Amino acid sequence: MTAPSLDVHRVSRESLRAIAAGDADEADLRLLCSAQRSQLLLVLRAVLDHEDDAARRARRPDGVPSVEEAWRLLCTAQRLVPEAVEIVLTDPAVMAWALRLLRRLGGSSEAASTVPLWADLGHFQAVAAAAALQARIPAVLRVPAHRGLVWLPGVGVAGPVARRRWSEAEIRVGRGDAVVRGELARVRLPRRTEEAAPGWRPLRTVHGRTPRTGGATVAAGPWLDTVTPYRDFARYPKSPGRLGERRLRLWEDRLADAYALLERESTADASAVRTLVKVLVPRPFQTARGGLVASASSVDSFGAITMSLPYDATQTAAVLVHETRHQQLNALLNLVPLIEDPEERPGEPPAQRLYYAPWRSDPRPALGLLHGLFAFSGVARFWRAHRGHVTGPEAQRAAFEFAVLRDQLHEAVAALTSAGCLTEAGRLFVDEIAEHVRKWLVEDVPAVPGRLADHYGLLRRAVWRARHLEMEPAVAKRFAAAWVAAQPAPPVPPSALRPRLDLVRLDTFGPLARYHLSTPDRFTRRRRQAEDGGDPARRAEYAMIVGDTEQAALRCAEWTARDPQDVEAWIGTALSCPETARTAGAAVVLDRPEAVAGVCRAVASAAGRFPDPFRVAAWLGGAVSGPAWTV
């Protein structure tokens, strides 16, 4: 836990470029990991410095377990068996606990907790106990138990040894064994702590099943964590999960296959995942279908990914690449500022600091847009490489994912570079990504995936604008007056951002397009089911995906007839026309749907009649000069 001297973590321009390009080498990755470990040690030291004040605030009659004592034990373990301490501190939950505790001790309102302060402090003893257990250093420590369960970071969970919500337990570590004793029971830990035993649930190591040179099978993955109380990024403490052995083996197989796929097709990504991802937390979400996976990383839990079960190894690999990129950027941002501090731009309204992130349905701040840009540039590169290793429907699916992402990345690069919020290092970082995106834009993509990707991009952009942008009411009234007077439309000014998260709905076009490309038989069955009295909007999507523009237009007409003022129905109608046959009004509906909607509503308010939105759109685009009162 001590070193002869302190060093400073520095990131060279070459390393910054390599990380941005997704080509970080082992030295770059070690730098990121080392910086995170240094941060953790500083946080632990800061908690130690708060010990006296924290102990007084805890107000526990029989006293609070000594943080100083736990620190000394950690130092002893570091001196005698440093690899034992590394195993414990590598557990991302340690950082999650320590940061939350430090914020709590500092009085942060965001750190409110239902955990008694004495128990929060007592986890320091649990960290030391886990290190002593790994190093086989005799020790006796008092540790907190939540519902009778005792957490040993990097090792597992013992118990239950009590029934109360919070109680105190004792752990005795000997040279050859360890015992956890509570007020109602005791648990003897197995000699090999990675093996399950009565009252003992270890962190489960994911092992690969891919033969290597000589036929040996090597570990291919991290821990699969269903037991740690700090494994959830938002809610803690969390009780152990209830995944059965069959489900856990399915997770292990899927992860092992994904690791093997990355080793074959993308060695740089495989190296990053292997080095940075230490814990995978299964989420209680149904197995992904059509490309939908719930996954997340947290700046407080470097090395941890929480995710629902992807439906195949390829999707699993893509999610691992995506979340590992977030891990890299979180660590990098602790060393190099890439985005200017918003507080340094006080004259700019908060709403103007939000941007369109093409992969999200909600407006995002610059930092969120940067995170998405970096993460999805990695996923785009993965799909680009994968399409060269597969054929048939899998190749079509890969081409679609690549085509969608390269266009989205192109938009995100433009938004970030024009926002004026990047530091010098941030501009270098984004420019490196932009260079790769420019090359990807000229690559050929098969016709069907390319058509679907273009449609998807137009749809997402138009729907996002319709939901979150607005023509200012006073401007809309002026345009309405010009329309009623049959005057030419004035130049359309920029719209104002008015986030409407209540209007966000689950994306369906993307998953359906993926079905069509990867499992066409299932897509056909679902389309038949939708045609039997289904929602016209859904039936329109099915028709557009297969390229049946006549059916798409018919279904969109039904959709519009149901609700003539539904802006998303207008967007669907505009997209149902082939690009070569798209009218001037349809083009404006796709480009500025919020302006068309604003003028239509203002006209209806002024004249008592709702105008034809496509006629208004054509008027805004200068294609027509007068009103037409058809709905």
Side-chain angles (χ1 to χ4, degrees):
M1 305 299 291
T2 58
S5 61
L6 291 175
D7 199 1
V8 177
H9 298 288
R10 295 184 176 87
V11 180
S12 67
R13 290 176 67 89
E14 292 74 20
S15 291
L16 189 62
R17 288 186 181 278
I19 293 170
D23 295 326
D25 61 19
E26 290 295 331
D28 297 325
L29 297 174
R30 284 197 301 270
L31 171 65
L32 298 178
C33 292
S34 177
Q36 287 293 298
R37 186 184 186 281
S38 296
Q39 179 185 349
L40 174 58
L41 293 179
L42 288 171
V43 172
L44 292 176
R45 178 68 227 189
V47 170
L48 176 64
D49 291 341
H50 281 80
E51 178 182 22
D52 291 342
D53 176 60
R56 285 194 297 272
R57 288 164 56 187
R59 296 178 182 176
R60 185 167 170 81
D62 52 350
V64 177
S66 170
V67 174
E68 179 69 42
E69 176 189 9
W71 179 265
R72 287 197 300 269
L73 181 55
L74 274 175
C75 292
T76 300
Q78 171 71 17
R79 186 175 65 254
L80 297 177
V81 191
E83 60 271 20
V85 176
E86 286 306 303
I87 291 173
V88 175
L89 297 188
T90 294
D91 187 341
V94 175
M95 176 72 90
W97 154 74
L99 281 170
R100 288 167 175 169
L101 175 57
L102 185 60
R103 294 185 190 115
R104 181 179 185 178
L105 295 177
S108 171
S109 59
E110 298 179 358
S113 175
T114 60
V115 180
L117 182 56
W118 69 264
D120 232 353
L121 289 165
H123 284 313
F124 213 128
Q125 293 268 339
V127 172
L133 177 64
Q134 294 283 6
R136 293 298 171 183
I137 298 174
V140 179
L141 299 105
R142 295 158 55 200
V143 293
H146 176 242
R147 302 193 185 282
L149 298 176
V150 171
W151 171 45
L152 295 173
V155 191
V157 171
V161 294
R163 290 198 186 95
R164 286 186 291 151
R165 180 174 174 81
W166 286 102
S167 60
E168 193 172 74
E170 176 189 85
I171 178 168
R172 288 181 174 270
V173 179
R175 294 289 182 186
D177 65 354
V179 177
V180 177
R181 188 191 308 273
E183 55 192 26
L184 294 180
R186 71 174 191 167
V187 174
R188 183 175 296 278
L189 274 56
R191 175 75 179 179
R192 291 173 56 86
T193 54
E194 67 273 18
E195 297 177 352
W200 173 244
R201 280 172 274 197
L203 290 173
R204 189 174 181 123
T205 302
V206 178
H207 291 284
R209 292 168 177 78
T210 304
R212 300 296 181 85
T213 304
T217 298
V218 298
W223 292 318
L224 193 61
D225 185 2
T226 62
V227 298
T228 299
Y230 285 85
R231 69 189 185 278
D232 190 288
F233 298 155
R235 182 171 61 88
Y236 71 97
K238 191 171 184 178
S239 299
R242 298 181 179 180
L243 284 182
E245 184 63 23
R246 182 177 177 182
R247 188 75 168 174
L248 287 169
R249 287 191 178 279
L250 177 59
W251 267 96
E252 288 181 326
D253 290 344
R254 190 124 326 148
L255 289 167
D257 290 345
Y259 272 73
L261 186 152
L262 288 173
E263 292 284 357
R264 291 193 307 270
E265 299 182 5
S266 182
T267 55
D269 289 323
S271 176
V273 172
R274 190 172 54 247
T275 302
L276 301 180
V277 179
K278 303 304 180 185
V279 162
L280 283 156
V281 180
R283 293 182 68 162
F285 190 76
Q286 65 179 6
T287 300
R289 294 295 180 193
L292 297 177
V293 176
S295 69
S297 298
S298 169
V299 68
D300 285 358
S301 298
F302 179 74
I305 294 173
T306 176
M307 60 192 289
S308 58
L309 181 64
Y311 66 89
D312 64 8
T314 307
Q315 189 187 45
T316 307
V319 173
L320 289 172
V321 170
H322 177 214
E323 294 300 340
T324 302
R325 286 295 187 100
H326 284 306
Q327 302 282 341
Q328 290 182 64
L329 189 54
N330 281 334
L332 181 64
L333 288 169
N334 279 336
L335 300 173
V336 182
L338 303 180
I339 300 287
E340 290 180 355
D341 187 343
E343 298 302 322
E344 296 178 2
R345 305 164 73 188
E348 188 177 36
Q352 297 307 313
R353 301 173 193 161
L354 298 176
Y355 306 90
Y356 171 51
W359 40 81
R360 295 278 302 216
S361 296
D362 56 332
R364 301 293 290 164
L367 180 58
L369 186 57
L370 177 64
H371 257 286
L373 175 65
F374 183 55
F376 282 108
S377 65
V379 180
R381 190 177 74 160
F382 165 78
W383 286 112
R384 176 177 178 268
H386 183 62
R387 65 188 182 143
H389 293 266
V390 292
T391 58
E394 182 71 1
Q396 295 280 298
R397 169 193 176 192
F400 171 75
E401 302 291 0
F402 170 64
V404 167
L405 287 171
R406 69 178 181 180
D407 291 341
Q408 292 180 335
L409 293 167
H410 180 63
E411 282 195 88
V413 165
L416 270 176
T417 53
S418 63
C421 59
L422 297 171
T423 64
E424 180 181 355
R427 288 191 294 273
L428 186 150
F429 190 83
V430 171
D431 286 347
E432 186 67 31
I433 297 173
E435 182 61 29
H436 289 273
V437 174
R438 279 192 289 270
K439 295 175 182 176
W440 294 343
L441 288 171
V442 299
E443 294 187 9
D444 290 333
V445 170
V448 173
R451 173 182 65 81
L452 290 173
D454 290 343
H455 183 108
Y456 193 35
L458 288 170
L459 174 65
R460 288 190 63 85
R461 188 185 309 110
V463 167
W464 187 92
R465 293 186 67 94
R467 289 171 178 170
H468 302 301
L469 295 181
E470 178 184 84
M471 177 180 270
E472 293 286 3
V475 174
K477 285 183 179 180
R478 189 169 74 248
F479 272 75
W483 165 266
V484 171
Q487 298 173 353
V492 183
S495 300
L497 182 64
R498 302 277 193 273
R500 288 289 306 274
L501 301 185
D502 57 306
L503 298 179
V504 172
R505 295 195 296 272
L506 187 66
D507 168 45
T508 54
F509 186 91
L512 290 177
R514 294 179 178 98
Y515 271 132
H516 176 56
L517 295 170
S518 58
T519 54
D521 291 342
R522 177 178 289 169
F523 174 87
T524 301
R525 288 195 303 270
R526 291 202 168 195
R527 187 185 180 191
R528 287 199 203 101
Q529 293 170 358
E531 287 296 330
D532 294 334
D535 178 11
R538 192 71 62 250
R539 286 185 285 173
E541 285 190 326
Y542 276 107
M544 283 188 275
I545 287 169
V546 299
D548 189 341
T549 55
E550 184 177 344
Q551 276 294 311
L554 179 63
R555 301 310 182 192
C556 284
E558 294 176 5
W559 183 6
T560 305
R562 178 180 292 185
D563 186 356
Q565 299 186 34
D566 187 337
V567 184
E568 294 186 26
W570 309 345
I571 294 169
T573 300
L575 284 170
S576 68
C577 302
E579 185 177 358
T580 54
R582 200 165 286 157
T583 65
V588 175
V589 165
L590 293 177
D591 188 48
R592 299 294 302 275
E594 77 289 352
V596 178
V599 173
C600 285
R601 291 169 188 144
V603 168
S605 177
R609 299 173 64 187
F610 200 86
D612 177 354
F614 285 90
R615 181 78 178 183
V616 169
W619 175 72
L620 289 173
V624 298
S625 59
W629 292 105
T630 56
V631 177

